Amino acid sequence: LTGDDQWNMSPVASPDGSKVAYASSSNRPGSPDQSDISIRVVSTDGRNKVQLEKANYSLGRLVWSPDGTEIAYEAGGIEHDGEIFVSASGTGRPINVTNDKESNDFNPVWASDDGKIIFESVKFDAGKRRFTESSFKEVDVRSGDVKKLFDFDYNTSGSHAWSPDLDMVAYLHKDNYLQPPSLYVMDAQGGGQTMLVKEVRFRGAPV
């Protein structure tokens, strides 16, 4: 589909399967210089390739909107830590929908067909060694309004994954840094925490 000499990675198919969004860079993944990494969209027949945006040093997960017209993603760089951006899949004009220089925002999930995105937001202490605030928030892409859903402790919990109906959240939690994490689920309001698997010994995140 790509047919170029770029390092192409993280492909995600559109809801109708007609397009693929992916990250592209001339530098090897993991290279210190990721200043040219960009988001691209190509039709599944290999035609109609579009470059949406240069992510300016870091790029998180790509997520298609339910109707396939927009792509949400986390990008960070010199001007800001992680922010959530949205680009139209055809024009590539990016919009910073979180625009909060005091927080690191990441892991976007489209919450509905009416243009709302759930994301994780954290703040660090002065030395950037521990998280001082961590919460799930929701942003209305059209108005830019942001509201907090609930807080959680990112120092001990992480790798969150929402269920398709957005009723539950799976996540890894550990009581201290010396033990392996356990797999938990909680409801969409942050309550009802339930352990599913104790001391999960694998690398990765729940899906």
Side-chain angles (χ1 to χ4, degrees):
L1 293 181
T2 53
D4 54 36
D5 57 359
Q6 297 283 101
W7 290 91
N8 299 310
M9 56 205 124
S10 305
V12 183
S14 62
D16 65 0
S18 66
K19 300 177 182 178
V20 176
Y22 61 98
S24 182
S25 175
S26 61
N27 295 313
R28 182 187 297 270
S31 167
D33 181 9
Q34 292 294 310
S35 58
D36 73 333
I37 194 168
S38 62
I39 300 169
R40 299 183 181 186
V41 174
V42 62
S43 300
T44 49
D45 60 6
R47 304 169 62 184
N48 303 320
K49 187 183 299 183
V50 177
Q51 178 171 305
L52 298 187
E53 164 71 339
K54 281 198 170 184
N56 193 14
Y57 291 168
S58 70
L59 178 67
R61 63 180 300 197
L62 310 179
V63 187
W64 287 89
S65 62
D67 63 4
T69 62
E70 297 174 295
I71 299 171
Y73 56 94
E74 170 212 341
I78 294 175
E79 297 180 357
H80 48 73
D81 286 330
E83 299 277 13
I84 305 301
F85 289 79
V86 171
S87 288
S89 62
T91 63
R93 187 174 183 84
I95 301 174
N96 185 341
V97 296
T98 51
N99 200 25
D100 182 358
K101 294 185 178 180
E102 295 183 357
S103 299
N104 194 333
D105 303 323
F106 56 98
N107 200 16
V109 177
W110 287 91
S112 63
D113 291 332
D114 57 358
K116 293 181 180 179
I117 293 173
I118 296 173
F119 62 96
E120 297 174 48
S121 182
V122 299
K123 293 183 179 180
F124 293 93
D125 60 17
K128 289 198 171 185
R129 293 180 179 273
R130 287 184 62 82
F131 301 104
T132 58
E133 296 181 30
S134 43
S135 61
F136 280 103
K137 296 180 180 179
E138 183 182 75
V139 59
D140 187 315
V141 173
R142 311 303 169 220
S143 67
D145 293 336
V146 177
K147 71 175 183 179
K148 182 186 291 187
L149 299 180
F150 60 89
D151 294 311
F152 63 92
D153 185 0
Y154 211 92
N155 293 295
T156 58
S157 301
S159 302
H160 298 88
W162 287 82
S163 63
D165 58 9
L166 301 178
D167 284 341
M168 303 293 292
V169 185
Y171 64 100
L172 298 178
H173 171 83
K174 54 186 176 182
D175 294 324
N176 61 69
Y177 290 101
L178 299 179
Q179 72 179 71
S182 297
L183 178 63
Y184 284 75
V185 292
M186 59 184 171
D187 62 37
Q189 289 73 47
Q193 293 93 343
T194 303
M195 181 191 294
L196 299 181
V197 181
K198 185 176 182 180
E199 296 190 357
V200 180
R201 297 181 182 275
F202 69 93
R203 293 186 178 184
V207 296

